[in-house]
């Protein structure tokens, strides 16, 4: 499977530090640097506008620090994160923030390349799950029903009745018939159990039942919006638009 470039945003208040990141990324042909930011406020706006796949993030910056920036971002749309900082004492907190890796400045190229290997493995896993190619031969059939807690009861939902699914950390929100049910399971794992001929990943944290899609509305900068029959509108990110085109027969 040919993967798209990893669209990357660099966030550091020091120009020389951003230059060092650019140089370190120079040997990684599958990375496209889509922007640079000198502070967390700029980064917050750039992440919303550019929807990067990967964030190289400094911790100590004027005003809002890197941890506060991540806290302010929507966890459903959070890019992959690698912290690049001169302060090693924050490593444990960085991994608590779900960063993929933590590299110290000045950057050592060998250590940096190790971080990129981890990024690439995670990137491949995201696309394998979203394309249904986690396994070429399945030993078990795809899920036909899923049980979720609803108050004091357990609700059994036919997967064919699911409208769309939204990730929320180690949980998912399963939307069906105008209601949403919280289910303790990661989206990545759930995708391995759902039929890829029926369920389409349209964003890092969103999966939709193809049968519920009514229209696709192109937006600016290559993004799009998916409209469902019940009126729900969901963002189709650039990362998954090629898969959507194939699945929906779009030109």
């Amino acid at each position: 499977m040919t993967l798209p470039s990893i669209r990357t945003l660099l966030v550091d208040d020091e120009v020389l530090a951003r230059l060092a990141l650019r140089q370190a990324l120079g040997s990684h042909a599958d990375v496209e640097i889509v922007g640079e930011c000198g502070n967390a406020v700029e980064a917050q706006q750039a992440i919303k506008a550019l929807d990067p796949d990967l964030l190289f993030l400094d911790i100590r910056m004027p005003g809002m620090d890197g941890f506060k920036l991540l806290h302010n971002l929507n966890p459903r749309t959070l890019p992959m994160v690698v912290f690049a900082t001169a302060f090693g004492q924050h490593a444990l907190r960085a991994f608590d923030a779900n960063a993929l890796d933590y590299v110290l400045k000045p950057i050592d190229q060998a250590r940096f390349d190790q971080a990129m290997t981890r990024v690439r493995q995670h990137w491949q896993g995201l696309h394998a799950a979203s394309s249904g190619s986690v396994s070429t031969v399945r030993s078990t059939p795809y899920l036909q029903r899923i049980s979720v807690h609803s108050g004091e009861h357990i609700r059994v939902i036919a997967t064919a009745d699911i409208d769309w699914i939204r990730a929320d950390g180690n949980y998912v929100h399963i939307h069906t018939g105008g209601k949403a049910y919280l289910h303790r399971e990661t989206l990545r794992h759930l995708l391995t159990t759902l039929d890829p001929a029926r369920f389409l990943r349209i964003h890092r944290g969103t999966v939709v039942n193809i049968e519920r899609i009514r229209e696709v509305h192109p937006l600016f900068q290559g993004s799009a919006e998916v409209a469902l029959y019940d009126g729900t509108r969901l963002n189709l990110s650039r990362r998954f638009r090629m898969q959507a085109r194939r699945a929906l027969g779009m030109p």
Side-chain angles (χ1 to χ4, degrees):
M1 177 175 61
T2 301
L3 298 180
S5 297
I6 305 173
R7 304 175 66 260
T8 302
L9 182 68
L10 312 181
V11 183
D12 197 301
D13 62 312
E14 298 178 358
V15 175
L16 291 180
R18 300 199 302 270
L19 177 60
L21 286 171
R22 279 188 171 272
Q23 293 173 336
L25 287 166
S27 59
H28 297 274
D30 56 345
V31 172
E32 175 190 359
I33 298 174
V34 296
E36 296 185 13
C37 299
N39 59 63
V41 174
E42 290 179 1
Q44 204 166 359
Q45 297 170 345
I47 291 168
K48 183 177 181 180
L50 299 173
D51 188 26
D53 307 310
L54 174 62
L55 199 63
F56 276 97
L57 180 61
D58 191 13
I59 292 179
R60 293 191 181 178
M61 294 179 289
M64 190 190 311
D65 67 16
F67 292 121
K68 182 65 173 178
L69 169 63
L70 293 186
H71 178 75
N72 288 345
L73 295 177
N74 188 332
R76 294 186 291 121
T77 59
L78 191 68
M80 298 180 289
V81 177
V82 173
F83 280 104
T85 179
F87 303 97
Q89 66 266 34
H90 297 298
L92 182 58
R93 189 179 175 194
F95 289 113
D96 286 342
N98 293 320
L100 292 182
D101 212 333
Y102 184 101
V103 294
L104 292 175
K105 297 184 288 188
I107 290 174
D108 174 79
Q109 187 67 46
R111 176 65 184 88
F112 185 89
D113 291 345
Q114 289 178 357
M116 285 305 302
T117 296
R118 181 171 294 179
V119 167
R120 203 165 283 113
Q121 289 171 344
H122 189 78
W123 183 239
Q124 290 168 350
L126 283 174
H127 283 270
S130 63
S131 66
S133 59
V134 174
S135 174
T136 56
V137 178
R138 290 187 61 85
S139 59
T140 58
Y142 293 113
L143 275 183
Q144 299 299 310
R145 285 164 294 279
I146 186 168
S147 297
V148 299
H149 287 280
S150 178
E152 298 179 355
H153 307 285
I154 294 178
R155 170 77 184 273
V156 180
I157 301 172
T159 53
D161 292 337
I162 294 174
D163 300 321
W164 62 286
I165 304 169
R166 175 172 64 85
D168 187 2
N170 291 325
Y171 292 81
V172 291
H173 296 268
I174 298 175
H175 294 257
T176 175
K179 296 183 178 180
Y181 299 91
L182 186 65
H183 179 56
R184 184 175 176 81
E185 188 167 10
T186 64
L187 182 64
R188 181 176 180 180
H189 180 265
L190 184 59
L191 273 170
T192 67
T193 68
L194 295 174
D195 186 353
R198 180 183 295 275
F199 290 95
L200 174 68
R201 193 171 196 172
I202 61 171
H203 201 278
R204 183 182 294 107
T206 309
V207 172
V208 64
N209 186 336
I210 293 174
E211 300 297 325
R212 302 298 192 270
I213 297 175
R214 184 187 66 201
E215 296 172 342
V216 177
H217 303 279
L219 300 176
F220 64 95
Q221 295 183 335
S223 296
E225 192 176 61
V226 171
L228 307 189
Y229 281 100
D230 66 359
T232 300
R233 292 178 175 267
L234 303 169
N235 184 38
L236 169 60
S237 73
R238 285 166 293 197
R239 180 189 304 178
F240 298 103
R241 62 185 176 184
M242 290 304 299
Q243 293 162 251
R245 284 177 178 174
R246 290 193 296 268
L248 301 174
M250 296 167 57

